[in-house]
Amino acid sequence: MKITMRHLFLMLYASLFVSVLVGILVHIFLHPHAHFWWEELPVFSAIYGFIGCIIIIIGSKALGHHWLQKEEDYYEKH
């Protein structure tokens, strides 16, 4: 069976739909409670995730510039 781009997009959309549906059903039937007051804020998870991604990007760029990248004549010196 050959998997085409159409099949991949169909699987992507189906998995997104199922994950959203399961998330809604969990909140309807299980009533999860927050352990801390800031978890009650409506957009806390989105802001926390966004700030986490920004920190990962800045940290990886700093790591790349200061540790991984070498000067152009690095091998000629040694």
Side-chain angles (χ1 to χ4, degrees):
M1 177 179 162
K2 184 178 179 184
I3 296 178
T4 62
M5 289 298 286
R6 185 170 187 270
H7 289 109
L8 290 174
F9 277 112
L10 185 63
M11 288 188 291
L12 171 69
Y13 293 138
S15 63
L16 286 174
F17 176 75
V18 168
S19 66
V20 168
L21 183 66
V22 167
I24 290 170
L25 291 174
V26 163
H27 281 287
I28 289 174
F29 293 114
L30 294 182
H31 303 293
H33 64 282
H35 296 283
F36 303 104
W37 64 269
W38 56 82
E39 292 175 348
E40 296 286 338
L41 297 173
V43 293
F44 170 74
S45 297
I47 293 172
Y48 185 72
F50 181 74
I51 291 172
C53 287
I54 296 297
I55 290 172
I56 288 172
I57 290 169
I58 291 171
S60 64
K61 286 186 74 70
L63 179 69
H65 286 294
H66 297 293
W67 185 50
L68 297 174
Q69 287 184 346
K70 304 293 181 197
E71 297 117 16
E72 287 185 32
D73 60 347
Y74 175 76
Y75 292 107
E76 293 172 4
K77 287 182 192 178
H78 300 287

